[in-house]
Every structure is written in structure tokens, then in C-alpha cells.
Amino acid sequence: MNRRQFILASVAAGVASAFAIKPNDNGDAYNSYFSKLNSSLKSNGSYIPSMIIDLDLLDENIAALKQTLNPSVDYRIVAKSLPSPDLLGYIMEKSETNKLMVFHQPFLTTLANDYPQADILMGKPMPVKAAEVFYQKLSNASSFNPSTQLQWLIDSKERLIQYLNLAQNQNILLQVNIEIDVGLHRGGLQQAEELDGLLKTIEDNQQHLRFSGFMGYDPQIVKIPSIVKSPEQAFVESQAIYQAFVDRLYQQAPQYKNQSLCFNGAGSPSLPLHKNKTVANELSAGSCLVKPVDFDIPSLSQFSPAAFIATPVLKKMVGTQLPAIEFAKNILPLWDKNMQQTFFIYGGKWLAQYESPKGLQGNGLFGTSTNQAIVNGSNKVNIDVDDHVFLRPTQSEFVFLQFGNILTLRNKTIENQWDILHG
Ligand SMILES: Cc1ncc(COP(=O)(O)O)c(C=O)c1O
């Protein structure tokens, strides 16, 4: 190849590879679902960023949950992942359970007052001072009885002693559920023998402490790379650890065989693996019912997204005009058609991904904002000022809390406003 041919070949290769990486036009109009939702919001909405839950889709997810659950175990709702008292009440009724898993003292206080018939297991060990605040705040009028309806989670002998002191000082009885490490390594007892000392302390202080069961959370079983270990293998190993704790319990304290204990397990990601056989007698899940993006995993394919952020478009512009490179306004879209239009939306920077219209994207050159975020899209994105951009939260537990309430949707029409848990 002579020099001239070499240069031509290099230019051709450069052009070819530039075309290979040139972004596709990802834009599209709303599908009929989001088109109806946008119309409903335009006639009934408040034109501020809103968290929307589609109750028809939620109902389908509750039906899928019933199919996924092992029929011989109870279901416990993970409250932090569905943090609205009304939403929790709705799910309790539809899924026929009064069992909640709670992770935050202010939520515990609210839920014990709002649902005095609830059975509550704490999902993480609370500092003993936070537990004390719960007792101070519990309304005398509430019929919620913590000594039979609330299980505190205890992860060590030291914490058990702190809770014993609390119980002695307040002259109350505390139910103690012990956190066990079934492979996640986020804390809890690691060896079954560690149980002995805790059981002895409980046995010696029966007027203040009652052993109520174990909690072993196991999402790692679907997260370990499958070339390292299959989910089925990880499940078998995790269950063997759980079983070793149950065996040790019955060996050390056989009287518990005759008592009804709470052996809590799972979480949304691992729920289906417990379907046929599980050491647990109740399984917890929350996120799968609204299915944020992080739960788009093979084990949860039977669930559908049911929660969306809707936010109004405030401004619409042609091209993409950026500070200091104004000349590039119409050049950038030549490279990336998804920059043919610029929108600014009400709010932004949520833990969320753009969902509808298709093909919306942020702009790394402009940066992002929680006040008015920039959004680019191609000319196929046919929305205007006062239409809505829809996003899917990547997780529910924190994102829901950023909105004052939830708008419920029935038949693609806004129906109600439900409060979010505060605190
Ligand atoms: C102890 C415990 N159980 C269960 C869950 C499952 O919650 P979700 O189904 O929302 O993933 C969690 C989530 O963090 C957890 O910490």
C-alpha cells in the first residue's frame, strides 16, 4: 500500500468507526399507557413532581407474589420499600397479612399507632436509645402491645444486655429476634454456638426477655456471579447455615420446639428460591411489588414496574445550546440525534431512569440539577411544555420519601393521594 492509499484507508476506517459509535436515534412518542397517564395528569394532576403507583399493576404483582410464595409460609411486608401507611394498609388487606418488617424508629411509631393489630419485626438492630424513644412515644391510647406484637432485632450479646437494661428500667417484656448471618455478611451471629450465651441471658431474665426467633436475610444468593456459584447452590448453602441455628436452638433449649417462633427469611430477590422448600416459616419482600429498576433481575421476571415519577416539562428548545459552546447548538444534534431537542423538567436528579417518552437522556456537558434538570431527546419525542416526563425509580425506599405523597392510579386515571411515612 502506498502512502496515498494508506491515508485513504485510514480516513475510511476512521469514518466507519465513527459511524459505528454514532448514537442511534432512540426517541419515540409516548406509548398508549403513558399517553393516557399524561392526559389524566393534565386534567387532574398538580403539575409538580409526583410519585405514581398504578394499583392495577400492583394488584397483578400481589397476585404474582402469591404464586411465588411458598404456600406453607407466611408473608411479611417490607415496610421500608413501600413507605406509605395507606399503601401498606392496602397491601396488608390484599395479601392477607398483618406482618410488617420495619427499619426506622419514626416509622415504627407511626405504624404501631396506625395499625394496632400489626405484627412487627424490626429489620435491623436499633440503637437501644432509639428503642427507648419508641416506648416514650407509644400512645397510651394505642392497643398495640409491643410485648406480644413487636420483635426487636438483636445481633450481639452486647446489644442484648443493653436491651435487657432497658427492659429492667422500664419494667417491660421485650421480644428478641436474633439476626443470623446466612451468607450476606452484613452482621448477625455467624456461628450457631454463639447462640448459647444469648439464650442463657434470655433464660435467666424471663420476666424481661422472650426469645421470638431468627432473621436471616439472603439476597446474596442471586447476586453472586454465576460462574462463582449458581443461585441454587448458594441457596442450599445459605439454608444449611439457617438450619444449623435452628438445630442448635432445639438442642440447647428443646422447650422452644413447642412454641411458635418466627423464622424469617428471604427478600424480594431470593423469594422464588424458597418456593418449594425453606427453613423459614415466613418470607419478607417489599420492592418486588412496585419493582424499581434495580429489581429487573431474572428471579423477579413475573413482576412488573408499578411505580413511576411524573414531572412536568417546564421549557422546550430546539437543538442543544450549552454555555460557552453556543455555536455547537445545531452541530451536536448532527452527531447525536437525541440532542435535537432540549427540555427542562420540574425537579430532577432522582435515583431514577427516564422511562417515557422513550429516548430521553441527561446531558453530562450541562450537568444535572435537583431544581430544573436538562433532558435531551430527538425530534421523535413529541412532547411540549406542560406535558409530563415519566421516570422509573431505581429503588423505592429512599425515592418515595422525596415526594410528599403518592398518587394512586386506577384504570390509568388518578384516583387518590396517599401519605408518605415521615421522620
Ligand atoms: C432484613 C431484610 N429483609 C428483607 C429485605 C427485602 O426487602 P425488599 O423485598 O424490598 O428487597 C431487606 C431489604 O433490605 C432486608 O434488609
Side-chain angles (χ1 to χ4, degrees):
M1 188 186 289
N2 63 28
R3 193 178 137 80
R4 192 181 136 82
Q5 284 168 329
F6 177 77
I7 292 171
L8 281 175
S10 305
V11 170
V15 171
S17 51
F19 268 98
I21 58 163
K22 186 172 153 55
N24 293 327
D25 180 345
N26 300 319
D28 208 345
Y30 291 128
N31 62 17
S32 70
Y33 179 87
F34 287 105
S35 173
K36 282 196 186 132
L37 195 45
N38 182 48
S39 305
S40 176
L41 283 164
K42 286 181 90 166
S43 36
N44 292 317
S46 50
Y47 285 86
I48 60 171
S50 314
M51 176 58 70
I52 293 180
I53 293 198
D54 185 324
L55 296 184
D56 298 318
L57 295 172
L58 176 63
D59 288 351
E60 286 174 28
N61 285 341
I62 294 171
L65 176 88
K66 288 182 177 166
Q67 291 294 315
T68 307
L69 269 179
N70 183 320
S72 54
V73 303
D74 288 347
Y75 169 51
R76 187 175 291 277
I77 306 169
V78 178
K80 75 171 168 64
S81 310
L82 304 155
S84 152
D86 302 291
L87 178 61
L88 289 168
Y90 182 87
I91 297 170
M92 281 197 259
E93 198 184 316
K94 290 262 168 175
S95 62
E96 297 163 287
T97 186
N98 66 338
K99 295 188 170 190
L100 299 176
M101 180 178 268
V102 178
F103 294 74
H104 188 40
Q105 177 270 312
F107 294 179
L108 173 63
T109 298
T110 303
L111 293 171
N113 282 310
D114 287 4
Y115 295 105
Q117 82 291 3
D119 173 299
I120 300 182
L121 168 64
M122 297 309 289
K124 65 180 175 228
M126 288 281 123
V128 72
K129 286 286 175 194
E132 195 177 332
V133 170
F134 166 73
Y135 287 98
Q136 283 161 5
K137 294 205 164 167
L138 187 66
S139 150
N140 285 337
S142 172
S143 58
F144 182 82
N145 179 359
S147 64
T148 55
Q149 292 174 255
L150 172 61
Q151 303 174 60
W152 294 102
L153 194 67
I154 296 296
D155 58 330
S156 67
K157 182 86 185 281
E158 293 68 33
R159 201 183 301 278
L160 183 63
I161 302 292
Q162 292 176 344
Y163 274 67
L164 172 60
N165 290 337
L166 171 68
Q168 287 168 335
N169 292 340
Q170 309 254 338
N171 197 21
I172 51 177
L173 173 71
L174 302 180
Q175 297 198 102
V176 171
N177 188 299
I178 295 179
E179 180 175 20
I180 57 175
D181 181 357
V182 293
L184 178 60
H185 307 323
R186 191 179 69 173
L189 271 51
Q190 289 213 321
Q191 304 295 331
E193 297 74 45
E194 291 172 57
L195 252 187
D196 305 0
L198 279 82
L199 290 176
K200 170 97 177 56
T201 304
I202 295 170
E203 181 68 21
D204 292 345
N205 294 281
Q206 289 180 36
Q207 70 281 33
H208 292 303
L209 300 175
R210 188 179 95 77
F211 173 71
S212 63
F214 295 127
M215 192 286 284
Y217 176 46
D218 62 6
Q220 81 285 350
I221 64 180
V222 298
K223 296 196 176 146
I224 298 171
S226 52
I227 54 157
V228 178
K229 206 174 276 177
S230 71
E232 291 72 21
Q233 179 59 27
F235 176 67
V236 167
E237 289 175 14
S238 167
Q239 288 282 291
I241 302 172
Y242 208 134
Q243 187 64 55
F245 278 94
V246 176
D247 292 346
R248 184 82 186 182
L249 169 73
Y250 290 154
Q251 186 192 48
Q252 295 294 306
Q255 71 274 20
Y256 286 119
K257 282 187 189 163
N258 307 321
Q259 292 183 23
S260 122
L261 294 174
C262 158
F263 294 144
N264 180 275
S268 294
S270 59
L271 200 62
L273 284 122
H274 290 259
K275 167 104 195 206
N276 296 325
K277 193 166 181 290
T278 178
V279 177
N281 58 20
E282 59 162 58
L283 300 173
S284 295
S287 299
C288 59
L289 295 182
V290 288
K291 202 174 182 184
V293 175
D294 289 351
F295 292 79
D296 287 348
I297 53 175
S299 64
L300 299 179
S301 57
Q302 66 278 43
F303 296 93
S304 317
F308 305 98
I309 296 169
T311 194
V313 175
L314 301 177
K315 300 161 188 170
K316 174 175 170 171
M317 296 151 194
V318 173
T320 297
Q321 191 175 26
L322 298 171
I325 51 167
E326 287 80 5
F327 66 88
K329 178 181 170 188
N330 298 317
I331 301 173
L332 292 168
L334 293 178
W335 167 249
D336 181 357
K337 287 193 173 173
N338 303 296
M339 294 174 114
Q340 285 171 331
Q341 300 190 84
T342 298
F343 306 96
F344 283 88
I345 56 171
Y346 194 151
K349 217 172 176 176
W350 297 285
L351 291 171
Q353 288 181 5
Y354 293 107
E355 175 68 17
S356 187
K358 286 286 174 222
L360 293 178
Q361 60 187 35
N363 188 315
L365 295 173
F366 189 88
T368 188
S369 162
T370 51
N371 169 39
Q372 297 178 65
I374 186 170
V375 184
N376 282 132
S378 84
N379 286 337
K380 290 190 185 159
V381 174
N382 60 346
I383 52 172
D384 273 309
V385 169
D386 286 348
D387 283 324
H388 293 79
V389 163
F390 297 93
L391 301 94
R392 254 183 90 197
T394 56
Q395 49 114 298
S396 52
E397 60 186 79
F398 177 66
V399 183
F400 279 28
L401 303 181
Q402 294 180 285
F403 297 81
N405 51 46
I406 287 172
L407 298 182
T408 65
L409 209 65
R410 188 63 87 187
N411 227 344
K412 301 179 193 66
T413 306
I414 305 294
E415 200 180 54
N416 272 319
Q417 249 188 37
W418 286 352
D419 279 347
I420 291 284
L421 280 165
H422 296 292

